[in-house]
């Protein structure tokens, strides 16, 4: 009788060990599938368009202040409109598209501000929001200075 009880106890322990072994590897397998499943459904990052740099003609660069420029790009068959802002210490290129709804802003020389005609958004000379509905500043184009030439970066 003792032997049979001992055998039953060993069989129970084996079953418990086998069940725990199966549970462990099932959970491990599910975890691996879950991790790979998430990575499969996660959207991949879109490729960012690279900037291509184009020279701004020297006669179009203001000595000081703001000038609206239209750069004709034959390679892209389009025109790029931007404001070139030159101060004593810097030069920046600003997009004329309002960050609220995309209307083109105009520069008011009396108030020294960019003003959106659609909803009255106002920006300072550097494109920072002064008032109105826009929450973001005007977008800037990257500029490079190489061999005394000013190049503007345009995404293609």
């Amino acid at each position: 009788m003792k032997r049979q009880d001992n055998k039953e106890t060993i069989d129970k322990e084996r079953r418990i060990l086998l069940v725990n072994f199966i549970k462990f590897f099932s959970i491990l397998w599910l975890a691996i599938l879950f991790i790979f499943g998430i990575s499969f459904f996660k959207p991949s990052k879109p490729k960012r368009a690279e900037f291509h740099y184009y020279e701004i003609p020297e006669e179009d660069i203001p000595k000081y202040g703001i000038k609206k420029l239209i750069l004709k790009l034959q390679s892209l068959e389009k025109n790029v409109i931007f404001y070139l802002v030159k101060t004593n210490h810097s030069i920046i290129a600003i997009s004329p598209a309002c960050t609220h709804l995309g209307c083109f802003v105009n520069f008011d020389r009396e108030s020294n501000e960019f003003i959106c005609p659609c909803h009255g958004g106002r920006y300072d000379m550097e494109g920072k929001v002064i008032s109105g509905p826009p929450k973001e500043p005007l977008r800037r184009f990257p500029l490079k200075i190489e061999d005394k030439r000013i190049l503007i970066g345009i995404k293609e």
Side-chain angles (χ1 to χ4, degrees):
M1 185 92 161
K2 230 178 181 185
R3 248 185 185 171
Q4 192 175 5
D5 285 344
N6 197 13
K7 189 177 178 190
E8 285 178 10
T9 306
I10 291 173
D11 284 346
K12 273 186 176 180
E13 287 176 0
R14 279 186 185 161
R15 273 190 228 122
I16 290 172
L17 182 66
L18 184 60
V19 166
N20 286 339
F21 185 76
I22 290 171
K23 284 181 183 177
F24 173 76
F25 281 103
S26 296
I27 291 171
L28 182 66
W29 179 247
L30 286 173
I32 291 170
L33 285 176
F34 181 74
I35 290 169
F36 282 112
I38 287 176
S39 65
F40 178 75
F41 289 111
K42 183 179 141 187
S44 62
K45 292 182 181 179
K47 291 183 180 178
R48 290 186 150 187
E50 292 184 23
F51 286 103
H52 292 273
Y53 286 86
Y54 299 91
E55 183 177 358
I56 300 171
E58 192 173 333
E59 63 271 7
D60 288 344
I61 300 169
K63 301 281 184 238
Y64 183 83
I66 296 177
K67 188 172 183 181
K68 184 177 183 177
L69 298 174
I70 300 172
L71 190 63
K72 295 176 182 173
L73 305 174
Q74 273 104 23
S75 62
L76 299 177
E77 297 180 1
K78 70 176 185 177
N79 295 334
V80 178
I81 301 170
F82 60 97
Y83 285 99
L84 201 58
V85 181
K86 189 169 184 185
T87 63
N88 290 335
H89 307 291
S90 67
I91 184 165
I92 56 174
I94 298 177
S95 168
C98 178
T99 55
H100 177 233
L101 292 176
C103 301
F104 275 22
V105 299
N106 297 308
F107 185 72
D108 181 36
R109 296 203 181 276
E110 289 179 20
S111 62
N112 249 7
E113 297 172 350
F114 292 101
I115 300 173
C116 179
C118 298
H119 297 105
R122 295 172 41 185
Y123 304 87
D124 68 7
M125 283 181 62
E126 294 181 352
K128 296 175 187 168
V129 177
I130 297 173
S131 67
K135 303 288 184 228
E136 300 290 322
L138 293 173
R139 190 173 67 88
R140 290 186 179 190
F141 290 98
L143 291 177
K144 281 186 187 178
I145 298 175
E146 291 179 358
D147 300 326
K148 296 183 181 180
R149 298 177 309 146
I150 298 177
L151 307 170
I152 184 168
I154 307 293
K155 285 186 180 182
E156 294 188 2

